[in-house]
Amino acid sequence: MAQLTETARGVFVIAPTPFTPEGALDLGSTDRMVEAYLAAGASGLTILGIMGEAPKLDAAEAVEFTARVLRRVDGRVPVVVGVSSPGFASMASLSRSAMDAGAAGVMIAPTPGLKGDDAVVSYIAGAAEAVGEAPYVLQDYPQANGIFMSVEMIRRMAEDPRLVMVKAEDWPGLDKISALRRLSDEGRMRRVSILGGLGGQFLPEELSRGADGIMTGYGVPEMLVRVCEMMARGERDAAQDLFDLHLPLIRTELQPGLGLAVRKYVLMRRGIIASDALRRPGPKLSAETRAEVDYLLARLAARDPVVTP
């Protein structure tokens, strides 16, 4: 598989890690999930991110799951593997095994607790050395790790040619996307791919600001693909109309502490995975919450033909 480059664009679906109700890896659902995402039009996949419950996997499971996804994808789209870790040894080990198995690149983020711009830039430089020659995605997600990265910090990091993509998840972050694009347009920063995130909440706006696509795990990725295609054709109003239909479910999936459980339930309801189980410890949806999600899916199915109730 060709390595990830700064020309990457489209919808990179963040995949969950399917588990059986007993908590074991569900590799059958993994195969079915990969095929469903490719059928939806995904330009790439990202695994072992926050949505992938990566901290709940041991090292052998992470390698096994990564290898299974890569074998199933079989080079059809690039696969990015999250390797973030406080220490560089585990980061280097997982990155090496992932790239050897055919990953297109890895994703890294600064570890919590870093103080000051130089400490963050230095940490990312060290992480880049740990992952070797692997192209990497810089995840800018201060809500998750408490680390704010300014436009200038990202410009400095982008001097490393291995940094080929920024996953832009700062909030508010639209002006940050505009500022990064302005720097590259003016020749003051190497142009890298920018993909939005945050569950897809600002997809039309991010694309208008110069993002190349999105990297998120929304349970109906077909919508994300169609919105990107419509925006590329200049059909902003049609893209916004379609996007607006899905906002209630996007909102429901993004409830702090409960969002992944909702998203896995949506994927199970759609037949993409067999069980909505999270590995312990993790929340379980109440009957009332499941009924609310069922209601939203039924409304979507009545208005958007790609959604199965």
Side-chain angles (χ1 to χ4, degrees):
M1 178 68 204
Q3 292 194 341
L4 194 70
T5 74
E6 59 273 6
T7 63
R9 58 190 308 107
V11 176
F12 278 60
V13 179
I14 298 183
T17 303
F19 297 111
T20 68
E22 296 73 31
L25 290 176
D26 183 350
L27 299 179
S29 283
T30 297
D31 292 342
R32 187 164 62 251
M33 176 183 70
V34 167
E35 294 302 332
Y37 287 151
L38 295 182
S43 304
L45 299 180
T46 301
I47 59 174
L48 299 185
I50 294 173
M51 182 178 167
E53 301 178 75
K56 299 179 185 178
L57 274 63
D58 63 32
E61 288 176 322
V63 170
E64 180 182 14
F65 178 70
T66 297
R68 183 69 172 233
V69 170
L70 289 166
R71 282 198 301 271
R72 191 71 187 193
V73 170
D74 193 26
R76 288 177 284 177
V77 297
V79 176
V80 176
V81 180
V83 297
S84 294
S85 173
F88 293 151
S90 58
M91 188 181 295
S93 176
L94 181 55
S95 176
R96 183 166 53 251
S97 66
M99 296 303 293
D100 287 347
V106 299
M107 183 164 66
I108 60 178
T111 191
L114 299 172
K115 304 295 184 182
D117 293 6
D118 289 345
V120 176
V121 173
S122 177
Y123 177 87
I124 294 299
E129 291 304 314
V131 302
E133 296 303 312
Y136 68 90
V137 179
L138 175 67
Q139 185 174 18
D140 181 15
Y141 194 12
Q143 299 92 294
N145 54 30
I147 303 296
F148 172 76
M149 293 187 283
S150 68
V151 170
E152 172 57 20
M153 291 166 68
I154 294 173
R155 185 201 65 77
R156 289 169 61 188
M157 296 175 196
E159 292 175 357
D160 181 351
R162 291 170 295 181
L163 195 169
V164 296
M165 180 187 291
V166 173
K167 186 185 180 192
E169 299 194 277
D170 200 352
W171 190 356
L174 294 173
D175 286 339
K176 197 171 190 178
I177 293 174
S178 293
L180 289 169
R181 279 290 170 252
R182 191 175 302 116
L183 283 180
S184 58
D185 289 345
E186 294 172 354
R188 294 188 288 146
M189 173 183 167
R190 185 174 61 85
R191 192 189 193 282
V192 298
S193 175
I194 298 176
L195 299 189
L198 294 172
Q201 296 171 87
F202 302 101
L203 175 58
E205 292 87 352
E206 288 166 347
L207 294 171
S208 294
R209 296 292 191 109
D212 298 293
I214 190 163
M215 182 185 289
T216 192
Y218 176 53
V220 190
E222 297 94 330
M223 179 275 288
L224 306 174
V225 172
R226 287 180 292 159
V227 167
C228 287
E229 291 172 347
M230 290 174 179
M231 291 289 289
R233 295 194 298 264
E235 301 169 3
R236 175 63 189 268
D237 287 344
Q240 190 71 52
D241 288 343
L242 175 59
F243 179 77
D244 290 349
L245 287 179
H246 288 254
L247 272 176
L249 184 57
I250 289 174
R251 178 197 63 182
T252 301
E253 281 193 0
L254 289 174
Q255 297 174 80
L258 200 63
L260 179 56
V262 173
R263 188 166 284 168
K264 278 194 159 182
Y265 180 67
V266 170
L267 295 173
M268 182 185 71
R269 280 292 315 275
R270 301 194 70 209
I272 294 173
I273 58 178
S275 170
D276 61 347
L278 276 67
R279 181 165 277 185
R280 297 175 62 190
K284 293 185 178 180
L285 301 185
S286 66
E288 292 83 357
T289 299
R290 287 174 179 249
E292 288 165 355
V293 176
D294 291 342
Y295 172 74
L296 292 177
L297 284 171
R299 281 179 56 83
L300 265 180
R303 304 162 76 189
D304 186 347
V306 307
V307 181
T308 51

